[in-house]
């Protein structure tokens, strides 16, 4: 009898102790899987045994429930470890059929396998206890049941909760990080023996996690065959949300056609929140994601990588190669390819990789999971990866030189070049742009300006190309963010002239600078460039119109100075147009101050802040953040993010251009009413601009210190303030202009 009990304790039933569930199945009666756990315990004493006292029967049935729990835990461990080929023969055909019909049950899981290994350890301790009891019973002259009870008593608080655990795992198909999360919650219990067992299971689960982290953060390889890691490839998420493979491929191809490291960095991987354990903070997960991506970049550099010494040795010719390169016709010359493996070892020395591996190995060998130690190690690994990525992008790839080039060309720091370009293209821009040749037409003044102002020492100019995206000549994916061509409903000539506002620059960026200069970043530079170029063009037109009118006036005066009548007519015309010249001065005053404010108070000051950050920082992610703050400050302090202000400034610049073109055609009397309309509209817009800029809403923003300087320059004599309040009226030409119609 005692041997029957011992066999039942390790999962084997017989004639005296039967499996009631198997017996019911043989009779065609199926028990509900949702039945209470007390009813699922199917090991019972045979009902026809009459020589056992009821009290002993209850004690034996209580003992053999441990055998039932053991068998179920052993079955789970065998199935999860994929050892079904050595499974005992007592598994019924119905169980096998149900497993085959349930695809979730058959889905492999390395985390379940690890937990199963932990269960095997616990069950081996249980089997050893049963074996010791058997030896003790054999050595006793009068074996008693109390010996069995006393030897297995501690397992009554261990095996039932473990059985409940595997039931929940199988019922809800819990895998990966979800399984770690479940075990972490179950660790918080008041039973020391059970807590130690679940902590051991969690330790086994963490071994898999640390192996995946090592693969990801040491070698940049995502080792996750069954989708259980919280870092996933982007394609997996696209599949989950219904995106097609072609859509994903198109997004990746839009970033780069031949550089997998670039596509991996921007679109390759993401954090899968369903598999992220709750005890791992999102910030830590993002650090893990960044570190792995950085290691991938460092270990798998692009074959086209160029180091700074190679860039210095390359001389950019000023002739046709430079000019054609600026048009986008000749690609940037490459140095001979370097050995990629050698470069990868140089970018991430083996000693640094060993340091990362040792930190993860220390975590792996710890008997318990310490959240603080884990986060500190992740932060240290992230710092190592960020430092070496900073070395690659900032030092080896001359990041500061490219930032200076973007400032020179996109932020108009090379004022002589753009002044020359606008002068060369001035007559062209007075005509409507032709859709088929607009970009080619602009290339002539662009090249002339380059020949006159760009020296051979400027090795970055070959990366700059001029485009007219509004006309669809060279449209790239990022150009959807560019401003649209302005149109008016009256069909006037200004509709076509406004098309030149779509002029844009492109900047060719090589690996690994694409990690820093993303398409989003370059689109922000293009947006600022278009705004600044239009502002500079407006300022130049105001100056040119003044010079043209003065030249014509002096010519007329010199021509008729000896003729009394003609001289008086010339003086009369000068007197009549004096109000218009004052209006032009008001326009020039506003545009000059706005231009000075943006170039000096905004761009130069923010550039100095960025430079100080670059000098102090040795972390790639910090540098990306500083650059984003730099661009955001440029946009916000230039009022490009305030729709009402940017629309008013656009209208003011349009009115200034219209004013210049009309005042130069002063011989035509029909311009009088148009000049009046432009002047009146300008007065309204400038007053509205001042009123908005001095509002309390902007006074408390980050624009405040620089905005006050701009307002001080505009309103140094309280003219704008008084005008905005209605105390004064801007000089309006309405009373004097009609005199022009007189002979």
């Amino acid at each position: 009898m005692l041997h029957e009990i011992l066999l039942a304790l390790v999962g084997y039933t017989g004639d005296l102790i039967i499996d009631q569930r198997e017996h019911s199945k043989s009779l065609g009666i199926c028990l509900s899987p949702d039945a209470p756990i007390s009813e699922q315990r199917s090991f019972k004493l045979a009902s026809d045994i009459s020589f056992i006292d009821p009290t002993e029967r209850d004690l034996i049935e209580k003992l053999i429930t441990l055998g039932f729990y053991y068998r179920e835990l052993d079955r789970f461990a065998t199935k999860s470890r994929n050892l079904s080929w050595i499974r005992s023969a007592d598994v019924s055909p119905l169980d096998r059929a149900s497993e085959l019909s349930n695809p979730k049950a058959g889905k492999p899981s390395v985390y379940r396998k690890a937990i199963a290994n932990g269960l095997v350890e616990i069950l081996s301790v249980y089997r050893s206890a049963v074996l010791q009891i058997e030896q003790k019973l054999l050595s006793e002259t009068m074996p008693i049941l109390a010996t069995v009870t006393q030897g297995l008593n501690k397992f009554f608080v261990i095996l039932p909760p473990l059985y409940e655990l595997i039931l929940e795992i199988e019922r809800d198909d819990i895998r990966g990080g979800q399984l770690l999360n479940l075990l972490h919650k179950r660790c918080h219990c008041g039973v020391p023996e059970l807590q130690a067992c679940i902590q051991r299971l969690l330790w086994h689960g963490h071994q898999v996690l640390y192996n995946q982290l090592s693969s990801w953060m040491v070698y940049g390889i995502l080792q996750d065959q069954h989708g259980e890691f919280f870092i996933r490839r982007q394609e997996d998420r696209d599949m989950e949300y219904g995106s097609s493979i072609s859509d994903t491929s198109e997004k990746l191809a839009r970033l780069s056609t031949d550089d997998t490291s670039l596509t991996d960095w921007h679109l390759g991987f993401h954090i899968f929140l369903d598999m992220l354990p709750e005890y791992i903070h999102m910030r830590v997960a993002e650090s893990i994601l960044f570190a792995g991506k950085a290691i991938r970049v460092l270990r798998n550099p692009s074959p086209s990588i160029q180091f700074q010494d190679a860039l210095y040795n390359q001389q950019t010719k000023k002739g046709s190669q430079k000019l054609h390169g600026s048009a986008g016709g000749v690609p940037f010359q490459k140095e001979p390819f370097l050995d990629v493996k050698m470069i990868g070892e140089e970018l991430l020395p083996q000693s640094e990789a060993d340091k990362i591996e040792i930190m993860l190995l220390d975590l792996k060998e710890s008997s318990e999971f310490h959240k603080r130690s884990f986060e500190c190690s992740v932060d240290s690994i992230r710092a190592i990866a960020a430092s070496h990525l900073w070395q690659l992008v900032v030092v080896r790839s001359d990041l500061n030189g490219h930032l200076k080039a973007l400032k020179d060309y996109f932020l108009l720091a090379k004022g002589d070049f753009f002044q020359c370009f606008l002068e060369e293209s001035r007559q062209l821009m007075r005509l409507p742009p032709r859709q088929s040749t607009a970009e080619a037409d602009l290339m002539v003044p662009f090249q002339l300006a380059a020949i006159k102002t760009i020296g051979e020492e400027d090795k970055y100019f070959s990366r700059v190309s001029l485009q007219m995206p509004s006309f669809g000549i060279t449209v790239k994916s990022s150009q959807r963010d560019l401003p649209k061509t302005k149109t008016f409903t009256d069909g006037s000539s200004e509709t076509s002239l406004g098309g030149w506002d779509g002029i844009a620059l492109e900047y060719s960026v090589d690996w690994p600078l694409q990690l820093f200069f993303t398409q989003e970043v370059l689109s922000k530079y293009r947006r600022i460039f278009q705004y600044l170029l239009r502002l500079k063009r407006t300022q130049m037109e105001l100056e040119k119109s003044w010079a043209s009118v003065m030249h014509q006036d002096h010519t007329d005066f010199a021509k008729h100075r000896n003729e009394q009548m003609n001289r008086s007519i010339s003086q009369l015309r000068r007197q009549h147009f004096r109000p218009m010249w004052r209006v032009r001065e008001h326009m020039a005053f506003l545009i000059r101050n706005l231009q000075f404010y943006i170039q000096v108070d905004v761009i130069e000051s923010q550039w100095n802040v960025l430079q100080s950050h670059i000098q102090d920082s040795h972390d790639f992610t910090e540098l990306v953040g500083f650059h984003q703050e730099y661009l955001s400050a440029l946009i916000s302090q230039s009022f490009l993010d305030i729709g009402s202000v940017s629309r008013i400034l656009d209208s003011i610049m349009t009115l200034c251009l219209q004013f210049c073109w009309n005042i130069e055609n002063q011989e035509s009397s029909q311009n009088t009413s148009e000049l009046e309309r432009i002047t009146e509209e300008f007065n309204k817009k400038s007053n509205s601009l001042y009123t908005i800029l001095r509002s309390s809403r902007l006074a408390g923003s980050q624009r405040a210190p620089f905005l006050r300087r701009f307002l001080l320059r505009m309103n140094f004599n309280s003219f704008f303030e008084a005008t905005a309040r209605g105390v004064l009226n801007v000089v309006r030409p309405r009373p004097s202009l009609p005199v022009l119609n007189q002979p």
Side-chain angles (χ1 to χ4, degrees):
M1 181 68 182
L2 287 175
H3 282 88
E4 288 280 347
I5 293 175
L6 291 176
L7 286 172
L9 287 174
V10 291
Y12 296 95
T13 56
D15 294 332
L16 295 180
I17 299 175
I18 63 173
D19 186 348
Q20 194 172 14
R21 183 167 57 185
E22 297 292 334
H23 181 67
S24 299
K25 287 181 180 179
S26 64
L27 298 177
I29 303 173
C30 294
L31 298 177
S32 172
D34 297 329
I37 294 179
S38 58
E39 297 181 10
Q40 294 183 24
R41 297 186 303 229
S42 56
F43 281 19
K44 302 287 183 182
L45 275 174
S47 58
D48 56 352
I49 298 178
S50 58
F51 58 86
I52 297 179
D53 185 81
T55 304
E56 290 183 340
R57 174 182 285 272
D58 293 340
L59 183 58
I60 291 173
E61 289 191 346
K62 181 181 178 182
L63 273 175
I64 59 179
T65 56
L66 294 178
F68 168 78
Y69 293 136
Y70 171 85
R71 188 188 69 176
E72 296 302 313
L73 291 171
D74 184 59
R75 283 183 177 179
F76 173 83
T78 304
K79 180 173 64 176
S80 299
R81 297 169 73 200
N82 197 22
L83 302 177
S84 56
W85 57 278
I86 58 172
R87 192 180 284 178
S88 57
D90 62 345
V91 179
S92 68
L94 290 176
D95 284 343
R96 296 184 189 274
S98 64
E99 289 176 5
L100 292 175
S101 62
N102 186 3
K104 288 187 177 181
K107 186 183 295 185
S109 169
V110 290
Y111 280 86
R112 282 195 191 181
K113 185 175 181 180
I115 301 305
N117 291 334
L119 284 175
V120 169
E121 289 183 3
I122 297 172
L123 294 180
S124 65
V125 175
Y126 171 81
R127 283 198 307 272
S128 298
V130 173
L131 183 60
Q132 289 180 0
I133 290 172
E134 182 184 26
Q135 294 173 349
K136 194 172 184 179
L137 289 175
L138 291 175
S139 64
E140 290 180 353
T141 54
M142 292 290 294
I144 57 175
L145 195 60
T147 302
V148 181
T149 305
Q150 187 268 336
L152 298 179
N153 192 51
K154 63 180 180 179
F155 291 100
F156 283 104
V157 296
I158 296 176
L159 298 188
L162 293 180
Y163 175 64
E164 293 180 17
L165 178 68
I166 66 167
L167 285 181
E168 184 176 353
I169 292 173
E170 291 187 322
R171 182 184 69 244
D172 299 334
D173 189 32
I174 300 176
R175 309 162 66 248
Q178 298 173 341
L179 185 53
L180 296 180
N181 202 44
L182 175 64
L183 292 173
H184 188 263
K185 290 180 179 178
R186 293 292 182 94
C187 279
H188 300 87
C189 66
V191 183
E193 296 85 354
L194 177 61
Q195 186 179 30
C197 290
I198 296 182
Q199 282 180 346
R200 185 62 182 175
L201 297 181
L202 184 60
W203 181 87
H204 278 278
H206 281 149
Q207 298 306 294
V208 178
L209 177 64
Y210 289 132
N211 288 337
Q212 291 178 324
L213 289 175
S214 296
S215 176
W216 176 246
M217 301 174 77
V218 177
Y219 303 101
I221 299 173
L222 186 61
Q223 194 72 26
D224 184 27
Q225 302 93 330
H226 310 304
E228 297 180 285
F229 193 35
F230 57 84
I231 305 294
R232 282 198 180 181
R233 283 197 170 274
Q234 189 75 10
E235 298 94 310
D236 300 334
R237 182 170 70 173
D238 292 334
M239 294 302 175
E240 291 169 8
Y241 288 96
S243 298
S244 64
I245 298 178
S246 60
D247 294 337
T248 305
S249 301
E250 183 180 351
K251 286 191 297 185
L252 296 177
R254 205 161 56 220
L255 277 177
S256 176
T257 55
D258 58 352
D259 199 341
T260 55
S261 64
L262 181 63
T263 55
D264 282 350
W265 180 266
H266 291 295
L267 292 177
F269 304 94
H270 72 282
I271 297 175
F272 186 55
L273 293 178
D274 289 350
M275 289 298 172
L276 179 63
E278 293 180 1
Y279 54 88
I280 296 180
H281 196 273
M282 186 64 185
R283 178 192 62 81
V284 180
E286 290 175 347
S287 296
I288 294 172
L289 175 64
F290 168 81
K293 289 178 8 180
I295 296 299
R296 285 179 69 88
V297 169
L298 295 170
R299 284 191 176 273
N300 303 285
S302 170
S304 60
I305 182 174
Q306 295 173 328
F307 293 117
Q308 186 63 23
D309 54 353
L311 291 175
Y312 279 130
N313 293 332
Q314 182 177 11
Q315 296 296 325
T316 304
K317 296 182 179 180
K318 185 181 178 182
S320 60
Q321 178 179 344
K322 180 183 74 171
L323 297 177
H324 285 90
S326 65
V330 177
F332 196 72
Q333 297 295 318
K334 306 286 184 183
E335 289 292 319
F337 288 166
L338 302 174
D339 186 86
V340 175
K341 184 177 180 181
M342 180 185 69
I343 296 172
E345 293 177 354
E346 184 178 354
L347 297 179
L348 183 68
Q350 187 59 40
S351 59
E352 294 293 280
D354 293 342
K355 188 186 301 183
I356 296 175
E357 194 167 11
I358 289 173
M359 283 190 281
L360 291 173
L361 187 61
D362 291 341
L363 293 174
K364 185 177 180 180
E365 292 177 349
S366 177
S367 59
E368 294 184 14
F369 178 84
H370 298 285
K371 184 177 179 180
R372 184 173 181 82
S373 300
F374 179 79
E375 292 181 355
C376 289
S377 298
V378 169
D379 289 341
S380 300
I381 295 171
R382 179 202 161 282
I384 293 174
S387 176
H388 285 279
L389 194 59
W390 176 90
Q391 183 76 17
L392 169 65
V393 174
V394 177
V395 179
R396 292 181 179 268
S397 301
D398 187 26
L399 174 67
N400 213 29
H402 290 276
L403 286 172
K404 181 65 167 59
L406 288 171
K407 177 174 178 282
D408 287 342
Y409 295 108
F410 283 78
L411 304 183
L412 274 59
K414 278 190 176 294
D416 55 343
F417 168 73
F418 287 102
Q419 181 72 22
C420 185
F421 167 67
L422 290 174
E423 289 178 353
E424 296 289 346
S425 61
R426 184 173 179 235
Q427 296 302 321
L428 174 64
M429 290 188 183
R430 290 199 166 195
L431 300 174
R434 293 175 292 184
Q435 292 190 5
S436 58
T437 62
E439 184 174 309
D441 293 340
L442 280 176
M443 284 313 305
V444 176
F446 192 78
Q447 292 175 1
L448 289 174
I451 292 173
K452 293 179 180 179
T453 61
I454 303 298
E456 291 186 6
E457 70 279 0
D458 191 341
K459 58 187 177 183
Y460 302 102
F461 181 73
S462 59
R463 298 178 178 271
V464 179
S465 60
L466 183 70
Q467 295 183 347
M468 282 288 292
S470 298
F471 288 90
I473 296 172
T474 307
V475 180
K476 296 187 178 181
S477 61
S478 61
Q479 290 171 354
R480 63 184 182 273
D481 299 326
L482 294 175
K484 304 297 183 182
T485 304
K486 294 187 177 297
T487 58
F488 296 90
T489 57
D490 57 2
S492 60
S493 60
E494 287 78 19
T495 302
S496 299
L497 292 173
W500 295 112
D501 296 338
I503 297 174
L505 290 183
E506 290 289 333
Y507 192 78
S508 174
V509 182
D510 291 331
W511 191 94
L513 289 172
Q514 292 127 326
L515 307 179
F516 190 85
F517 296 116
T518 63
Q519 289 300 316
E520 180 185 1
V521 167
L522 292 178
S523 68
K524 290 181 179 179
Y525 272 108
R526 279 191 292 270
R527 182 184 177 191
I528 300 171
F529 165 76
Q530 289 181 316
Y531 175 62
L532 294 178
L533 184 67
R534 191 176 182 200
L535 189 62
K536 188 171 185 63
R537 180 187 172 200
T538 303
Q539 181 251 345
M540 187 196 72
E541 287 292 342
L542 288 170
E543 292 178 354
K544 292 290 185 182
S545 65
W546 171 256
S548 175
V549 171
M550 289 297 99
H551 176 73
Q552 183 65 37
D553 182 74
H554 293 162
T555 302
D556 292 344
F557 181 79
K559 182 178 179 181
H560 304 297
R561 64 187 176 189
N562 296 325
E563 302 176 14
Q564 185 65 29
M565 181 178 297
N566 290 335
R567 186 173 61 180
S568 61
I569 293 176
S570 178
Q571 291 176 347
L572 183 62
R573 293 178 71 254
R574 181 189 299 179
Q575 180 180 358
H576 292 161
F577 265 93
R578 191 165 294 155
M580 284 297 97
W581 299 341
R582 286 199 293 266
V583 172
R584 189 215 65 86
E585 179 56 31
H586 292 160
M587 291 180 172
F589 174 79
L590 176 58
I591 296 298
R592 277 198 308 268
N593 277 284
L594 179 60
Q595 193 176 28
F596 185 86
Y597 161 73
I598 294 177
Q599 290 291 347
V600 178
D601 291 339
V602 176
I603 294 177
E604 286 301 325
S605 63
Q606 292 300 325
W607 171 259
N608 292 333
V609 172
L610 178 63
Q611 288 299 300
S612 64
H613 286 319
I614 292 176
Q615 295 296 325
D616 298 338
S617 175
H618 287 74
D619 188 302
F620 178 79
T621 50
E622 283 185 358
L623 207 56
V624 171
F626 292 143
H627 187 242
Q628 291 289 352
E629 292 175 3
Y630 167 71
L631 288 177
S632 299
L634 294 184
I635 291 174
S636 64
Q637 294 181 19
S638 300
F639 318 119
L640 290 176
D641 60 338
I642 306 178
S644 57
V645 176
S646 60
R647 284 192 295 271
I648 290 176
L649 290 173
D650 284 342
S651 300
I652 288 175
M653 286 187 279
T654 300
L655 290 170
C656 291
L657 292 176
Q658 292 174 1
F659 180 86
C660 293
W661 298 329
N662 279 276
I663 200 172
E664 289 185 25
N665 298 324
Q666 53 185 306
E667 299 298 330
S668 302
S669 60
Q670 60 267 25
N671 286 336
T672 303
S673 59
E674 181 67 13
L675 287 172
E676 290 180 4
R677 183 194 67 80
I678 293 173
T679 303
E680 185 175 359
E681 193 68 22
F682 172 77
N683 293 338
K684 291 180 182 178
K685 295 294 183 182
S686 58
N687 290 338
S688 299
L689 176 65
Y690 179 78
T691 303
I692 294 175
L693 293 182
R694 66 189 299 272
S695 64
S696 58
R697 183 169 67 91
L698 297 182
S701 66
Q702 62 171 341
R703 309 174 182 86
F706 306 98
L707 179 59
R708 284 195 288 269
R709 297 181 191 175
F710 176 51
L711 293 176
L712 179 62
R713 293 193 188 97
M714 279 183 61
N715 193 45
F716 72 97
N717 60 355
S718 301
F719 176 79
F720 273 96
E721 183 177 4
T723 305
R725 292 179 179 177
V727 177
L728 290 176
N729 290 320
V730 176
V731 176
R732 294 171 60 179
R734 188 180 298 273
S736 55
L737 278 177
V739 181
L740 289 173
N741 297 328
Q742 299 176 1

